[in-house]
Amino acid sequence: MDISQQERTYETPMADKSTPSSLARYLDGEFWETKDHIREEISQGEPFRTSSYGLTLDQNRDLTVERLEYILTRPLMRHHLKDQMKEKQPGFIAKSLGITELICSADMSTGVKLGVVCGLFGGAVTNLGSPGQKKKWYLPVTDSEFTGMFAMTERGHGSNVRGILTEACYEPSTQEFIIHTPCEDAQKMYIGNSMKGNYASVFAQLIINGDSQGPHCFIVPIRDRHGVMNPGVTAIDMKHKEGLHGVDNGILIFDNVRIPRTNLLSKFGCVSADGLYSSPVQNKSKRFNAMLAALTPTRLGLTVQAIAAMKLGLIIAVRYSHSRRQFGPKDQQEVKIIEHQTQYLRLMPHLAAALALTFTTRFAACMMDHALCKGEVLQNNSSLQALVAGLKAYSTWENLACLQECRECTGGMGFMMENRIPALKCDSDVFVTFEGDNVVMLQVVVKELMTQFTRQLGNSVVGGLIKTWTSSVSDRLRTSFLGFNVDTVGDLSFLLKAVSYRERVLQRSLATRLYNKVEKKREEFFDAWNSCLHHVTGLALAHIHRVTLEQFALAVQECPVEEDHTLLTKFCLLHGTSLVYQERAWYLEHHYLTPTTSRQIRTQLLELCRSVKDEALKVVSDFNVPSCCIQAPIAGVANPRAEWAFYSAPEHPITASKL
Amino acid sequence: MDISQQERTYETPMADKSTPSSLARYLDGEFWETKDHIREEISQGEPFRTSSYGLTLDQNRDLTVERLEYILTRPLMRHHLKDQMKEKQPGFIAKSLGITELICSADMSTGVKLGVVCGLFGGAVTNLGSPGQKKKWYLPVTDSEFTGMFAMTERGHGSNVRGILTEACYEPSTQEFIIHTPCEDAQKMYIGNSMKGNYASVFAQLIINGDSQGPHCFIVPIRDRHGVMNPGVTAIDMKHKEGLHGVDNGILIFDNVRIPRTNLLSKFGCVSADGLYSSPVQNKSKRFNAMLAALTPTRLGLTVQAIAAMKLGLIIAVRYSHSRRQFGPKDQQEVKIIEHQTQYLRLMPHLAAALALTFTTRFAACMMDHALCKGEVLQNNSSLQALVAGLKAYSTWENLACLQECRECTGGMGFMMENRIPALKCDSDVFVTFEGDNVVMLQVVVKELMTQFTRQLGNSVVGGLIKTWTSSVSDRLRTSFLGFNVDTVGDLSFLLKAVSYRERVLQRSLATRLYNKVEKKREEFFDAWNSCLHHVTGLALAHIHRVTLEQFALAVQECPVEEDHTLLTKFCLLHGTSLVYQERAWYLEHHYLTPTTSRQIRTQLLELCRSVKDEALKVVSDFNVPSCCIQAPIAGVANPRAEWAFYSAPEHPITASKL
C-alpha cells in the first residue's frame, strides 16, 4: 500500500461512544452485544480507517485481504466460526447475519469475500462434508491458515446450475477422482477468491464407469500457501468489474487434475475404494437439492448485505437532506432540501422498506435457525425457500432503487466517490444477479408456493392440485374482499388485507392459467410457464411484499417502548401504503380500490412521507452504523482525502419525536 | 500511457464497411453524411482503438485529452466549429447533435469535455460576446490553441443558479473588474476541464459602486499554456467520481483576480471606462434569462448523450440475448434468453423509447435551428424551453432505467467492465443532475407551460388566467374523453388521445389547485407550489410523454420505405402502449380505462414486446454504431484485454423482417 496513513484516516467523532437508544437496541435485536463488539472491532481496526476508492485493482485486493484477515483473526470471530463446525447451534444464522451486515457496512468487498470463504466454501465443507473433512478443510480456515473458494457457476450454466459440465471421473486403480473441464462452457466462472485462495469446493458430475451420479462437491487444491499453482489448474483473472474491486473473480479450468477419493465431500454420496457409489438419498434430483441447501444461508446473507447498503445510503441522503438548503419562499432563507415534497417522497418509502426488511430478515433467520436445530433439510422447507428466494430478489432490487434515489437526492455531491453512495451502488449492483438471478429467484418463490400447496393437499398430480387449489382458496379470498371498507384505507388492517388479497388472487389465477395451458391445451410446460412469466414474477413479489408487511406489523406489535412503537407504527403504515400505492392499478382493475380510495392512498402516501421526514434523522441515527463505515463528508464525517467536501452534521429539527 | 498498443487495440470487423440500410439512413436523418464522416474518423482514430476501464485517474484524463485533441483537429470538426462563430447557420444545432451523439458513443468523457469546451465555454463566448470577443476567445479554441471551461455552479447554488455569490467589482481607476470569491459558498464547483483548461467563462454578480446589476459572464484567465496559474486563482481537484473519469472536475476560487474591462462578455450588458452600465435589456431577471439561453443547446446535447448511452446498452443487451442460451423445454436445447417473456418485456419498451427520443430530439433541434435562424431569444420560446427541459429529464432517467435493465439482462457478464454497460451507467448517472437537476427541469417544464398559456390569453394576472384556462380547455378534454372506445386500445390514435388527455387533465387540475391555494387561501407561492410538487412532476412527464409519442407517430408517417414504415409502426405502438401501461392506475382513476381495457393494455404490451424481439436485432444494427464504440465481447466485438469474454455475434433469427 503506497497510501500514507495520514492521508487515509477518518476522524471518528466522539458521538460514536454514546449509549444506543432503545430503538437502536430494538433494531439490533437479540444479538446486539455481538454487534456492538463487531462495531468496536471495526472502529478500532487499522485496515478500516480508510476508504478504498481510487486505488488500483491490486491495491484494492490487497486492502481487502488485509481487512478479511483482520476480521478472521478477531477472537469473537474465530469463536463464531468454530461454532459453524458444530451442528445445531441455536441462533448461529441470526448471529452470522448480524456480523455480516456490519462487515458489509464497513466494506462490501470484505463482506463478499467473507461470504465466499466462510459462507460458501465453509458452508459446502460443513454441510456436505464428514466430521473428518470439516476438520481437515475448514478448521484451518477458522485459524487463518488458508482460504477457500466456491466453484459452482460455469460459463455455460449460470442460472441453470443443474446443467454443469465439469467432470469428476473415478479411477479405481489409483483411488483418485480426475477433475476435468471438458469444454469451454464447463469453465468455472466468476469464482471469488480464485486468484488468492488455496482450495476450491468444486461442483462436478460424479462419473463412475461412464455413468453420471449427478453433481457432487469435491475439494480441489488450487495453489499452495506460497501461491504455487496445483498442476493442471489454470486460473484466469477476470479483472475489472463495475464494483467489488476488492474481490478477485476468475475462471478456473481443470486439465485432468487428480485428487484423492477422500476429497469428495461425503455426506450425500461417497465412492468406495473399488468404485461403488452409495448415498443416503436415492433420487438424483433430491440429492442435488439437498446439496444446494448449503446455499440457503448465504442467499439470506445477500439480503443483509443489501440492507447494509440501503442503510448507509439512507443515512447519507437523509443527513445531507437535513443540512443542505436550496430554494425557498421569496426573500427568505432557502429551505432544507428535505422540505421539498419530491425529496421526502423519494426517500421515506425506502426508509420504511429498510425497516421492513430488517424485521423480515430476522424472522427468516429465526425460521432457519429453528429448522437447522431440528435437523431439517432446508431445501425441503418450502415456506423458508420461498421466503429466502423472495427476500433475496426483493431486497436486492429495493436496495438498488433506494441507492439510486439517494444518489440523485444528494445531487452532484452524491456523484463524488468520497460520499460513498457511488461505490455502494456499483458494489451491490451484482447482488441482483449472483447467488441466483432475481428473475430466477422469483420463479423459485412461485414453484415453492405451489409445492407447499401440493403438500398441504397430499396430492401429487399437478393438474388436479391446481384445480382443487383454485376452488379451495376462494372463500378466504372473499373474506379479504368483503373486509374492504372505504373509511379504513389508513388502517394497517386494511393494508394487510390488501396485500394478502393480491397474493391470493394472483396465485389462484396463475394456477388456473397454467392448468388450462398444460392440462387442457397440452402445451409443453416450459412454454406454458414462460407465457405466464410476467404473472409469475408478479405473484412472487406480491408474496414477499405481504410477508414483509406482516413481519413489520408483528415487530411493531412487539416493540416494548411506547415512543418507539409510535414511531415504527408510522413507518409500518408508510410501508404498507407504499406497497398498495405501487400496485394501485391492479387493485383498481380488481375493484378492490375505487378511484376515490386509490386517490386517498396517494394522499396518504404523501402525508405519511411528510410526517416522518424529521423523525427519519432519528431512525438513521438508530441504525447505529459507526462513523468509519459512513465515511461521507456530506453526512458530517470529515475525510482528509476530500476536505473541501465536508458538511456539518444536521441539527435535529425536533428535540423529541412525540406525536 | 503505459499500455502497449498491442494490448489496447480492438479488432474492427469488416461488417462495419457495409452500406447502411434504408432504416439506418432514416434514423440518421438529414446529416447522415456528416455522421458517416465522423464514424469513419472515430473508427480510424488511434486514440479510440482502446477502452479506458482500469486506468488510473491521470491516465484516463490524459487519454481523454488525446481523444479531444484528435476530434478538435479533424477538418470537418474545425469547419463546423468555425460555423459556430457565425450567426444564423441553418441546421447548425442538428448537425452538432449528430456529431455529439457519435463522439459520446465512442467515449462519454470525451463527449462531455467537448460539451464543456465548445458547447458551454464556446456557447457563452459566441452567444454573450461581441464579434471581437468571439475572435479573441473562441477562434483559438477552434484552432486547438487553448481550451476553456464554464464556471456557473457554486457550492451554495447548484440548482438555484440565480443566487450565485461570486463578485465582479468594477474599478474605474484601472478599468478592471476584480473577480472575487467572498465566501465558501461562492466557490465555483464541479467545473469541468478546470485542471487542464486555460480560460473560464465565469458567472458573477456585476457590481458598480456597490450596486449589483445581476449575474454577468466574464472571461477569466486560469492558467497559461504551460500550466502556470494566473495569480489569485486556485483550482482544487475534485478527483474521484462515480464515472466520467476522463473529465477533470474541480473547484475554482478567486482571490481578487483582476481582469480588463473588456473581459465582460458584452452582448447583454457592458460597462464604460468611467463605470457607466448599459444593457439592451432593462429588466434584470429578463437579462439573466437571455444569458441563460446560451445553455439551451447544451441541455439538448445532454439528451443525445443519453440517447448514445441507451443505444449502446441496447445493442449489447439485445445481441447477447440473441446469442446466450439458458433454460428450455425438457430434454431439448436451451432457448435463447431473449425468448424468456421477462427478458423481452424488460428490453423492448426501452428500444421503443430510444426510437421515440431519436425522433423527438430531431424535432427539438429543428425547432431550435429555426428559432435561431429567425434571431429569436431562445429563452422566450416557452414551447421550446418546456420541450428541452422535459426531454433532458425524461431522456436521462429513461437512459438510466434502460441501462439498468441492460445490465441485469446480461447477467454476470453485464457486470464486467469490458462489456461496456457498467461504465455507461456510471458515466451517465450524473446526467440526471447536471445542466439542471431533473426535478428542477420538470418544474421548468410546468412553469413554461403556464407562461405559454398566459401568453396565448394575453393576460398577465395569474389567478384570472388559471381560472380562464381551466374552463377553456374543458372542451378539448371532452373530445378526448368521448374519443375513447373499447375496441380501439390497439390503435395509435387511441394511445395518442390517451396521453394528450392525461396531460390536459393534469394541467387543468394543477391550475385549479394552485389557484385555490394562492388566490383563495392566500398561501405563500413557494409553499403552494411545493405542496403540489408531485402533481407538477407528473404533469411535466405527461407533457414530454405526449410529445415523444406524437413525434414518433409523425416520423412513422413520414418514413418513405414501406418495410421500415411497418417496423417503426410496431415500435411506435409499443412506445404508446408502454406509456399508457405505466400510468394505467391514473387512467383507471379517471375512468379513461375500464378494468377490462386496462388488462387489454397489459396483454397488448406483452404481445407487442414479443412481436418485435427478433426485429430488435435489425433495429440495433441500424443504429449504425461503429464496432470500436460497441467494444463489448458479449456483443461479438473481440477485445484482446478480455479474450475469454468473447461471444460470437448472434445470427438473425429471420432472414427478412417481412410481416
Side-chain angles (χ1 to χ4, degrees):
Chain A
M1 300 292 308
D2 59 356
I3 306 152
S4 74
Q5 293 302 318
Q6 193 193 357
E7 213 183 61
R8 43 187 279 216
T9 303
Y10 285 109
E11 285 167 37
T12 309
M14 290 307 290
D16 272 9
K17 310 289 179 191
S18 65
T19 317
S21 72
S22 56
L23 181 60
R25 190 69 32 104
Y26 191 60
L27 293 178
D28 259 359
E30 191 183 349
F31 296 99
W32 61 270
E33 278 174 308
T34 305
K35 291 173 88 171
D36 270 353
H37 196 120
I38 296 284
R39 285 187 181 100
E40 190 64 23
E41 295 280 22
I42 290 172
S43 298
Q44 296 304 318
E46 193 51 43
F48 291 102
R49 298 180 71 80
T50 169
S51 52
S52 57
Y53 67 87
L55 304 183
T56 66
L57 197 61
D58 285 340
Q59 287 173 330
N60 220 314
R61 288 178 177 182
D62 290 344
L63 176 61
T64 306
V65 167
E66 205 184 313
R67 287 171 170 178
L68 183 63
E69 275 173 11
Y70 176 82
I71 291 294
L72 290 175
T73 51
R74 293 311 93 196
L76 180 143
M77 197 65 191
R78 289 180 66 159
H79 187 266
H80 182 68
L81 293 178
K82 288 187 200 299
D83 277 350
Q84 195 181 352
M85 310 262 298
K86 304 171 197 160
E87 276 171 32
K88 304 183 182 178
Q89 289 287 306
F92 178 80
I93 299 290
K95 211 168 170 179
S96 300
L97 294 178
I99 295 170
T100 300
E101 185 183 329
L102 283 162
I103 293 167
C104 289
S105 303
D107 175 41
M108 205 54 82
S109 287
T110 307
V112 167
K113 267 197 95 140
L114 181 71
V116 168
V117 173
C118 301
L120 290 170
F121 177 79
V125 175
T126 56
N127 286 301
L128 310 179
S130 67
Q133 290 175 319
K134 293 185 206 182
K135 206 175 158 190
K136 185 167 179 187
W137 286 302
Y138 196 54
L139 190 60
V141 171
T142 68
D143 289 330
S144 297
E145 288 172 23
F146 60 71
T147 66
M149 63 198 84
F150 184 80
M152 180 180 269
T153 300
E154 295 181 356
R155 180 188 289 268
H157 290 88
S159 295
N160 192 3
V161 76
R162 270 158 218 279
I164 55 164
L165 300 169
T166 300
E167 293 167 356
C169 295
Y170 185 62
E171 193 177 72
S173 61
T174 56
Q175 292 196 36
E176 287 174 326
F177 291 107
I178 302 171
I179 307 290
H180 189 64
T181 305
C183 59
E184 210 180 40
D185 270 355
Q187 294 170 354
K188 293 295 180 184
M189 214 159 179
Y190 307 111
I191 309 306
N193 200 28
S194 61
M195 307 315 291
K196 306 266 188 193
N198 309 102
Y199 289 88
S201 53
V202 176
F203 280 81
Q205 301 287 344
L206 167 56
I207 295 166
I208 305 173
N209 296 324
D211 290 335
S212 171
Q213 297 290 341
H216 283 68
C217 187
F218 304 83
I219 300 296
V220 181
I222 301 299
R223 57 174 68 75
D224 69 17
R225 289 165 213 194
H226 309 290
V228 180
M229 296 299 288
N230 187 17
V233 177
T234 306
I236 301 174
D237 194 341
M238 288 177 76
K239 292 194 176 158
H240 301 280
K241 306 187 296 293
E242 178 178 351
L244 296 177
H245 304 304
V247 182
D248 45 317
N249 292 92
I251 297 171
L252 292 180
I253 303 170
F254 303 105
D255 181 10
N256 294 298
V257 177
R258 290 173 171 272
I259 56 169
R261 183 174 64 94
T262 49
N263 280 30
L264 163 62
L265 295 179
S266 60
K267 194 164 165 189
F268 293 105
C270 67
V271 178
S272 66
D274 53 352
L276 281 177
Y277 178 77
S278 61
S279 167
V281 187
Q282 292 314 307
N283 180 294
K284 272 188 201 177
S285 173
K286 280 190 182 165
R287 194 190 298 150
F288 188 53
N289 270 346
M291 290 181 200
L292 289 181
L295 283 174
T296 310
T298 32
R299 188 169 284 165
L300 191 55
L302 214 50
T303 293
V304 298
Q305 294 178 5
I307 293 172
M310 273 182 88
K311 286 183 180 170
L312 283 167
L314 287 164
I315 292 167
I316 296 164
V318 169
R319 284 205 193 169
Y320 184 61
S321 298
H322 273 278
S323 157
R324 170 80 172 171
R325 290 173 183 270
Q326 202 78 180
F327 295 107
K330 214 175 174 182
D331 305 321
Q332 288 177 43
Q333 189 188 20
E334 291 180 301
V335 302
K336 292 180 182 176
I337 55 175
I338 193 69
E339 302 297 336
H340 297 295
Q341 189 183 61
T342 39
Q343 189 85 353
Y344 57 73
L345 190 56
R346 292 174 90 178
L347 295 175
M348 293 305 115
H350 293 296
L351 187 51
L355 291 168
L357 280 167
T358 301
F359 295 122
T360 310
T361 307
R362 185 173 304 167
F363 165 67
C366 184
M367 261 179 96
M368 202 181 284
D369 272 321
H370 195 69
L372 287 171
C373 284
K374 284 201 302 179
E376 266 185 34
V377 175
L378 296 184
Q379 212 64 18
N380 295 337
N381 187 330
S382 292
S383 329
L384 181 61
Q385 288 299 331
L387 177 58
V388 172
L391 264 181
K392 189 273 180 185
Y394 174 58
S395 63
T396 55
W397 269 330
E398 171 57 27
N399 165 57
L400 287 187
C402 171
L403 290 178
Q404 187 61 34
E405 294 290 10
C406 292
R407 204 316 273 147
E408 297 183 18
C409 285
T410 50
M413 281 298 196
F415 193 64
M416 304 306 302
M417 288 305 285
E418 62 273 10
N419 285 320
R420 195 89 221 266
I421 297 172
L424 287 170
K425 274 180 55 191
C426 292
D427 285 347
S428 62
D429 193 5
V430 77
F431 293 178
V432 303
T433 301
F434 72 17
E435 310 249 355
D437 181 274
N438 279 6
V439 176
V440 177
M441 285 300 96
L442 296 181
Q443 296 178 64
V444 168
V445 172
V446 173
K447 282 175 186 164
E448 295 291 353
L449 290 180
M450 290 192 161
T451 310
Q452 198 179 352
F453 210 83
T454 320
R455 213 172 281 142
Q456 281 171 17
L457 292 178
N459 184 338
S460 65
V461 186
V462 178
L465 134 88
I466 290 174
K467 214 172 162 185
T468 326
W469 181 17
T470 310
S471 56
S472 77
V473 290
S474 60
D475 283 333
R476 268 183 290 163
L477 288 173
R478 207 159 294 130
T479 316
S480 292
F481 189 70
L482 293 174
F484 166 68
N485 182 318
V486 171
D487 299 321
T488 56
V489 297
D491 286 355
L492 189 53
S493 62
F494 167 79
L495 299 168
L496 283 163
K497 276 184 201 159
V499 293
S500 180
Y501 172 75
R502 179 164 140 82
E503 180 188 3
R504 287 177 190 175
V505 171
L506 284 171
Q507 204 167 30
R508 181 181 59 168
S509 53
L510 178 65
T512 309
R513 284 181 72 192
L514 286 175
Y515 173 76
N516 284 333
K517 283 169 188 272
V518 175
E519 298 288 320
K520 286 197 180 157
K521 296 189 190 157
R522 296 282 158 200
E523 286 181 25
E524 160 72 45
F525 184 77
F526 174 82
D527 295 327
W529 182 264
N530 190 34
S531 68
C532 296
L533 215 44
H534 182 242
H535 192 156
V536 167
T537 54
L539 166 57
L541 287 169
H543 170 74
I544 193 68
H545 287 170
R546 193 257 303 161
V547 178
T548 60
L549 187 59
E550 283 178 359
Q551 290 306 316
F552 198 163
L554 281 172
V556 170
Q557 214 167 49
E558 287 163 13
C559 180
V561 178
E562 200 194 323
E563 201 181 337
D564 300 338
H565 182 276
T566 310
L567 179 62
L568 288 177
T569 299
K570 289 211 283 184
F571 277 98
C572 185
L573 274 172
L574 172 53
H575 182 57
T577 304
S578 166
L579 292 176
V580 173
Y581 177 75
Q582 281 167 43
E583 299 298 342
R584 68 198 186 284
W586 187 91
Y587 289 106
L588 283 158
E589 281 176 3
H590 290 76
H591 301 285
Y592 199 91
L593 289 179
T594 62
T596 308
T597 49
S598 176
R599 287 179 213 187
Q600 258 180 276
I601 291 284
R602 186 182 59 219
T603 309
Q604 182 169 313
L605 179 72
L606 288 166
E607 186 44 41
L608 282 168
C609 288
R610 198 194 56 73
S611 78
V612 297
K613 70 180 165 43
D614 290 341
E615 287 159 310
L617 266 182
K618 170 176 168 54
V619 175
V620 299
S621 159
D622 286 342
F623 285 157
N624 200 0
V625 176
S627 288
C628 70
C629 299
I630 299 172
Q631 301 175 8
I634 56 169
V637 182
N639 178 349
R641 290 181 68 186
E643 270 170 10
W644 52 267
F646 184 70
Y647 257 77
S648 57
E651 281 180 40
H652 284 251
I654 38 174
T655 46
S657 57
K658 300 250 166 64
L659 298 176
Chain B
M1 301 289 307
D2 60 355
I3 305 152
S4 73
Q5 292 302 317
Q6 194 192 358
E7 214 185 62
R8 43 186 278 215
T9 304
Y10 285 109
E11 287 167 33
T12 310
M14 290 305 291
D16 272 7
K17 309 288 177 192
S18 65
T19 318
S21 72
S22 56
L23 181 60
R25 186 75 23 111
Y26 192 61
L27 293 178
D28 259 358
E30 191 183 349
F31 297 100
W32 61 270
E33 278 174 309
T34 305
K35 290 173 91 172
D36 270 352
H37 195 120
I38 296 285
R39 285 187 182 101
E40 190 65 25
E41 295 281 21
I42 291 172
S43 298
Q44 297 302 320
E46 193 51 42
F48 290 102
R49 299 179 69 80
T50 171
S51 53
S52 57
Y53 67 88
L55 304 183
T56 65
L57 199 60
D58 287 339
Q59 286 173 331
N60 220 315
R61 289 176 175 182
D62 289 344
L63 177 61
T64 306
V65 167
E66 205 184 314
R67 287 172 169 177
L68 183 63
E69 275 173 11
Y70 175 83
I71 291 293
L72 289 175
T73 51
R74 294 311 91 196
L76 180 144
M77 197 66 194
R78 290 180 65 160
H79 187 264
H80 181 68
L81 294 178
K82 287 186 200 302
D83 277 350
Q84 194 181 353
M85 309 263 297
K86 305 170 198 161
E87 274 171 37
K88 304 186 182 179
Q89 289 288 306
F92 178 80
I93 298 292
K95 211 168 173 179
S96 300
L97 294 178
I99 295 170
T100 300
E101 184 183 330
L102 282 162
I103 293 167
C104 288
S105 302
D107 177 41
M108 206 54 83
S109 287
T110 307
V112 168
K113 266 196 96 138
L114 180 72
V116 168
V117 174
C118 300
L120 292 171
F121 177 80
V125 176
T126 56
N127 287 302
L128 310 180
S130 66
Q133 289 175 320
K134 292 187 206 183
K135 204 172 160 193
K136 183 167 181 189
W137 287 301
Y138 195 55
L139 191 61
V141 170
T142 68
D143 290 328
S144 296
E145 287 173 23
F146 60 70
T147 66
M149 64 197 83
F150 185 80
M152 180 181 268
T153 300
E154 294 181 357
R155 180 187 290 267
H157 290 90
S159 294
N160 193 4
V161 76
R162 270 159 216 277
I164 55 164
L165 302 169
T166 301
E167 294 168 354
C169 295
Y170 185 63
E171 194 177 71
S173 60
T174 57
Q175 291 194 35
E176 286 174 325
F177 291 107
I178 301 170
I179 307 290
H180 188 63
T181 305
C183 59
E184 209 180 40
D185 270 353
Q187 294 171 353
K188 295 292 182 186
M189 213 162 183
Y190 307 111
I191 309 307
N193 200 30
S194 62
M195 307 314 291
K196 307 268 188 191
N198 309 101
Y199 288 88
S201 52
V202 175
F203 281 81
Q205 302 287 345
L206 168 56
I207 295 165
I208 305 173
N209 296 325
D211 290 335
S212 172
Q213 297 291 340
H216 284 68
C217 187
F218 303 82
I219 299 296
V220 182
I222 300 300
R223 56 174 70 74
D224 69 17
R225 290 166 213 196
H226 310 289
V228 179
M229 297 298 290
N230 186 16
V233 177
T234 306
I236 299 173
D237 194 340
M238 289 177 76
K239 292 198 177 155
H240 300 279
K241 307 188 294 293
E242 179 179 350
L244 296 177
H245 304 304
V247 182
D248 45 315
N249 293 92
I251 298 171
L252 292 180
I253 303 169
F254 304 103
D255 181 11
N256 294 300
V257 177
R258 290 172 172 271
I259 56 170
R261 182 175 64 94
T262 49
N263 282 26
L264 162 62
L265 294 179
S266 59
K267 193 163 164 190
F268 293 104
C270 66
V271 178
S272 66
D274 53 352
L276 281 177
Y277 178 78
S278 61
S279 167
V281 187
Q282 291 316 306
N283 181 293
K284 270 189 203 177
S285 174
K286 280 189 183 165
R287 195 189 299 148
F288 189 52
N289 270 347
M291 290 181 200
L292 288 180
L295 281 175
T296 310
T298 33
R299 188 169 283 167
L300 190 55
L302 213 50
T303 292
V304 299
Q305 293 178 5
I307 293 174
M310 274 184 89
K311 285 183 180 172
L312 282 168
L314 287 165
I315 292 168
I316 296 164
V318 168
R319 284 204 193 172
Y320 184 61
S321 298
H322 273 279
S323 157
R324 170 79 172 170
R325 289 173 183 272
Q326 204 77 178
F327 295 107
K330 215 176 174 182
D331 305 322
Q332 289 176 43
Q333 192 190 16
E334 290 179 302
V335 302
K336 291 178 180 175
I337 56 176
I338 192 69
E339 301 298 335
H340 297 293
Q341 189 182 62
T342 38
Q343 190 84 354
Y344 57 72
L345 190 56
R346 294 174 87 177
L347 295 174
M348 293 306 114
H350 292 296
L351 187 51
L355 290 167
L357 281 166
T358 301
F359 296 122
T360 311
T361 307
R362 186 173 303 167
F363 166 67
C366 184
M367 261 179 94
M368 202 180 285
D369 272 322
H370 195 70
L372 288 171
C373 283
K374 283 200 303 181
E376 268 184 32
V377 175
L378 295 184
Q379 214 62 17
N380 295 338
N381 186 331
S382 292
S383 331
L384 180 62
Q385 289 299 329
L387 177 58
V388 172
L391 263 181
K392 189 274 183 186
Y394 173 58
S395 64
T396 54
W397 268 330
E398 170 56 27
N399 165 55
L400 286 187
C402 170
L403 289 179
Q404 188 60 34
E405 294 289 9
C406 292
R407 204 315 273 146
E408 296 184 19
C409 284
T410 51
M413 281 297 198
F415 192 63
M416 304 305 303
M417 288 306 284
E418 63 272 10
N419 286 321
R420 194 93 222 262
I421 296 171
L424 288 169
K425 274 179 56 192
C426 292
D427 286 345
S428 61
D429 194 5
V430 76
F431 292 179
V432 303
T433 301
F434 70 17
E435 309 250 357
D437 182 273
N438 279 5
V439 175
V440 177
M441 285 300 95
L442 296 181
Q443 295 177 65
V444 168
V445 172
V446 173
K447 282 176 184 163
E448 295 290 353
L449 290 180
M450 291 192 160
T451 311
Q452 196 179 357
F453 209 86
T454 320
R455 212 169 283 142
Q456 280 170 19
L457 292 178
N459 185 339
S460 66
V461 185
V462 178
L465 133 88
I466 290 176
K467 216 171 161 185
T468 327
W469 180 18
T470 310
S471 56
S472 76
V473 289
S474 61
D475 284 331
R476 269 182 289 164
L477 287 173
R478 209 162 291 130
T479 317
S480 291
F481 189 70
L482 293 175
F484 167 68
N485 181 317
V486 172
D487 300 321
T488 57
V489 296
D491 287 356
L492 189 54
S493 62
F494 167 79
L495 299 167
L496 283 164
K497 276 184 199 159
V499 294
S500 180
Y501 172 76
R502 180 165 142 78
E503 179 187 1
R504 288 179 190 175
V505 171
L506 284 171
Q507 203 168 31
R508 181 182 57 168
S509 53
L510 178 65
T512 310
R513 286 180 71 191
L514 287 174
Y515 175 75
N516 284 332
K517 283 169 187 272
V518 177
E519 299 288 320
K520 287 197 180 159
K521 297 189 190 157
R522 298 281 159 200
E523 285 182 27
E524 159 74 45
F525 185 77
F526 174 83
D527 296 327
W529 181 264
N530 190 34
S531 67
C532 295
L533 215 44
H534 182 239
H535 192 154
V536 166
T537 54
L539 166 57
L541 287 170
H543 170 74
I544 192 67
H545 286 171
R546 193 259 301 162
V547 177
T548 61
L549 187 60
E550 283 178 359
Q551 289 306 316
F552 198 163
L554 280 172
V556 170
Q557 215 168 47
E558 287 163 13
C559 179
V561 178
E562 200 194 325
E563 202 181 336
D564 300 339
H565 182 277
T566 310
L567 179 62
L568 289 177
T569 300
K570 290 212 284 185
F571 277 98
C572 184
L573 275 172
L574 172 53
H575 182 57
T577 305
S578 167
L579 292 176
V580 172
Y581 176 76
Q582 281 168 45
E583 298 298 342
R584 67 198 186 285
W586 187 91
Y587 288 106
L588 282 158
E589 280 175 4
H590 290 76
H591 302 285
Y592 199 89
L593 288 179
T594 62
T596 308
T597 49
S598 176
R599 286 178 213 187
Q600 259 179 275
I601 292 285
R602 187 180 57 219
T603 309
Q604 181 170 312
L605 180 70
L606 288 166
E607 186 44 41
L608 282 168
C609 288
R610 198 194 57 73
S611 79
V612 297
K613 71 181 163 44
D614 291 340
E615 288 160 310
L617 267 181
K618 172 177 166 54
V619 175
V620 298
S621 159
D622 287 342
F623 284 157
N624 201 1
V625 177
S627 287
C628 70
C629 299
I630 300 172
Q631 301 176 10
I634 56 169
V637 182
N639 178 348
R641 288 181 69 187
E643 271 172 9
W644 53 266
F646 183 70
Y647 258 76
S648 57
E651 284 179 37
H652 284 251
I654 38 173
T655 45
S657 58
K658 301 250 164 62
L659 298 176

